[in-house]
Amino acid sequence: MSVTLKVEEREVRPRSLRKQLRHEGKALGVVYGYKVESTPISFDEKELVKVVRDHGENVLVALQIGGKKVNTLINKLDMDIFTPTIKHVEFIAVKMDEETEVETDIVLVGESAGAKLGGFLSQTLFKVTVAATPDKLPERIEVDVTNLAIGDSITVADLPEEKDFRVVTEGDIQVAAVVESTLEADLEEIEEAEAQAAEADTADDSEKTSEEQAEENKEDKE
């Protein structure tokens, strides 16, 4: 799918112009790539924040600029780490019938059978590289882990096959696994250590009692 974003060309000088645009709620960026010379742009920041929130960063963005439409992908998004504001964004113009490679998120869905029995589901890979035409790039790849038992694992090669895109990441890389939980073992070790400590304390008390009794008997004889 694609979304439309209206943008305007902007001047890069003076520097005070950037502050003025940001004060007006505009975000700054640049577009370059297929049949497009590097062009500084500005746009409504809230619109792009909503696009990314609803569709992810792999969405095809049709920029409306200077009376024409430019199909782009977000190549780099620089956001403030403390507030949901955009510092700068790079859009790369793309050819619609040519494959491109991007990273996409892996999302585990369902509760694994092994986890229900006390195991622990561990995800070890969170992104994979995929290749597709710009309009077919996935927002994410969902992986059903419902049938994973304790000791089972999923690799990249096990990811569901899709006709719209192909996974480029090497297939033998592990994505997730269900392992035995160490919680019960840890609790058993703790309980055993506490029991041994209690036995030691009891033995010490018994030894002290015997010594005290012997001392009393000695005093009685004297």
Side-chain angles (χ1 to χ4, degrees):
M1 65 169 299
S2 67
V3 296
T4 299
L5 181 68
K6 185 177 180 180
V7 303
E8 297 177 351
E9 293 187 37
R10 63 178 174 87
E11 300 293 332
V12 295
R13 294 287 186 275
R15 295 180 66 88
S16 59
L17 181 60
R18 302 181 188 180
K19 293 183 179 180
Q20 179 183 335
L21 289 171
R22 289 194 173 102
H23 182 71
E24 295 173 355
K26 302 289 186 180
L28 309 181
V30 62
V31 55
Y32 58 87
Y34 179 66
K35 291 186 176 180
V36 176
E37 294 184 2
S38 182
T39 306
I41 57 175
S42 64
F43 50 89
D44 188 304
E45 180 182 54
K46 291 182 179 179
E47 288 189 18
L48 185 60
V49 169
K50 185 177 186 302
V51 166
V52 173
R53 183 180 65 241
D54 294 346
H55 306 288
E57 295 184 28
N58 290 341
V59 64
L60 180 66
V61 183
L63 299 183
Q64 296 287 352
I65 178 172
K68 65 178 182 178
K69 182 178 79 170
V70 179
N71 291 314
T72 70
L73 293 173
I74 298 173
N75 187 49
K76 183 178 180 182
L77 181 63
D78 186 9
M79 298 192 70
D80 190 284
I81 60 175
F82 300 108
T83 60
T85 57
I86 298 173
K87 291 183 176 180
H88 193 269
V89 60
E90 294 180 7
F91 293 95
I92 183 167
V94 293
K95 189 177 180 181
M96 292 302 295
D97 60 355
E98 188 173 277
E99 273 194 349
T100 186
E101 293 186 3
V102 299
E103 284 192 333
T104 192
D105 293 330
I106 299 175
V107 179
L108 305 184
V109 295
E111 183 179 3
S112 71
K116 291 181 180 179
L117 296 176
F120 177 71
L121 175 63
S122 172
Q123 183 172 358
T124 52
L125 187 67
F126 295 86
K127 290 179 180 290
V128 289
T129 301
V130 299
T133 54
D135 58 328
K136 300 295 184 181
L137 292 171
E139 296 177 22
R140 60 184 177 275
I141 297 178
E142 294 187 348
V143 181
D144 185 1
V145 297
T146 304
N147 295 323
L148 277 188
I150 295 176
D152 289 345
S153 63
I154 291 177
T155 65
V156 172
D158 298 320
L159 296 179
E161 293 186 6
E162 300 287 346
K163 64 178 182 179
D164 290 337
F165 63 88
R166 58 188 176 87
V167 177
V168 179
T169 302
E170 293 183 9
D172 60 350
I173 299 177
Q174 182 177 281
V175 173
V178 179
V179 298
E180 290 187 6
S181 175
T182 60
L183 179 59
E184 291 185 8
D186 291 342
L187 289 175
E188 288 179 0
E189 288 183 7
I190 292 172
E191 291 175 355
E192 184 178 348
E194 290 177 344
Q196 291 175 351
E199 288 178 4
D201 290 341
T202 301
D204 289 342
D205 290 341
S206 298
E207 185 176 344
K208 287 179 182 179
T209 301
S210 299
E211 290 176 353
E212 290 172 356
Q213 186 63 48
E215 187 66 28
E216 288 178 1
N217 291 340
K218 182 179 179 181
E219 290 177 354
D220 290 341
K221 290 179 180 180
E222 292 176 351

